[in-house]
Amino acid sequence: MLTCFKMWGYDNCIGIDISKSCVDFVKSLGLNCELVEDTQEWLRKHPNTFDLITLLDVLEHIPRENVISFLKDIYNALKPGGILIIQVPNLGAPDSNLHMYNDITHYVGYTEHSLQQVLITAGFKKIHFQPFEEIVDKNLKAVLHKFIRYIYWKMVRFVRKVNCNLNPSILTPVFSAIVYKEIEE
């Protein structure tokens, strides 16, 4: 992510991680990264500091009992009008167990509804969800894949409706939330 920000011309960026090897690797790329033992404590030391915080494939690694306090600390570390981008495995997707249980370090899985619940509880009000679209090619194989997936998702929605089950709007295996800290008046 820091490499992308650098390529896009942003120069006031910092990454934090609890893994020394990850921090060392990021620093070897000439990027700004800090080793932290306690992410929440680090966030608390930086109130109203950040315009943007990204949590890409992070939140599912936070124990359930710490999720809301973790998100509150992020909320407080954002400047008014700041943005939080979260990407998580989607437990509302067909075969969601493949993403949730593919990594033994996953504590919690999320649907649009459950992620919205914890974000609202942490103080966020303006929340937008979007699917993660992995098909970007326009070749025949990619277009055919997208069409078959569209038909499959129609069948999934039909079966869920027949079974009077939940039917979330996003069915991709991963989804993201773009969340805004409101500007104080």
Side-chain angles (χ1 to χ4, degrees):
M1 196 78 224
L2 290 173
T3 302
C4 291
F5 288 142
K6 185 176 181 178
M7 286 182 348
W8 296 332
Y10 296 99
D11 57 3
N12 188 15
C13 300
I14 183 170
I16 63 169
D17 207 296
I18 60 172
S19 166
K20 183 177 178 344
S21 62
C22 286
V23 171
D24 290 344
F25 173 73
V26 171
K27 285 182 173 183
S28 77
L29 299 174
L31 301 168
N32 188 10
C33 193
E34 188 176 321
L35 181 65
V36 297
E37 288 185 29
D38 184 332
T39 304
Q40 287 189 251
E41 181 181 316
W42 189 91
L43 287 165
R44 284 185 215 116
K45 292 178 181 176
H46 296 85
N48 295 309
T49 302
F50 301 102
D51 295 310
L52 172 69
I53 295 177
T54 61
L55 291 178
L56 305 181
D57 303 312
V58 174
L59 198 59
E60 63 271 19
H61 298 274
I62 306 296
R64 180 182 316 275
E65 61 273 11
N66 299 343
V67 168
I68 292 172
S69 66
F70 179 67
L71 289 170
K72 283 181 179 180
D73 289 335
I74 290 173
Y75 181 89
N76 291 327
L78 285 169
K79 292 178 181 175
I83 300 170
L84 168 63
I85 299 175
I86 301 173
Q87 177 179 289
V88 291
N90 181 9
L91 290 193
D95 299 327
S96 60
N97 59 322
L98 298 175
H99 285 270
M100 178 62 189
Y101 298 109
N102 184 45
D103 186 335
I104 196 167
T105 65
H106 288 178
Y107 286 101
V108 183
Y110 294 94
T111 64
E112 297 158 68
H113 181 72
S114 63
L115 186 55
Q116 183 176 32
Q117 285 178 317
V118 296
L119 288 166
I120 288 171
T121 304
F124 293 99
K125 294 180 180 125
K126 189 175 177 186
I127 304 164
H128 300 284
F129 295 109
Q130 61 186 42
F132 179 82
E133 184 59 61
E134 70 282 350
I135 301 172
V136 293
D137 292 333
K138 300 290 184 197
N139 63 43
L140 180 61
K141 184 177 177 182
V143 170
L144 184 59
H145 179 266
K146 192 171 184 175
F147 176 73
I148 292 170
R149 188 177 62 184
Y150 170 81
I151 297 299
Y152 171 64
W153 284 351
K154 286 284 190 189
M155 291 179 352
V156 166
R157 290 191 187 289
F158 174 76
V159 169
R160 287 179 176 179
K161 189 170 188 162
V162 166
N163 290 328
C164 299
N165 208 336
L166 297 173
N167 220 343
S169 60
I170 298 175
L171 294 180
T172 54
V174 175
F175 74 103
S176 60
I178 294 98
V179 188
Y180 302 84
K181 180 177 181 177
E182 292 191 334
I183 297 172
E184 295 134 5
E185 294 182 26

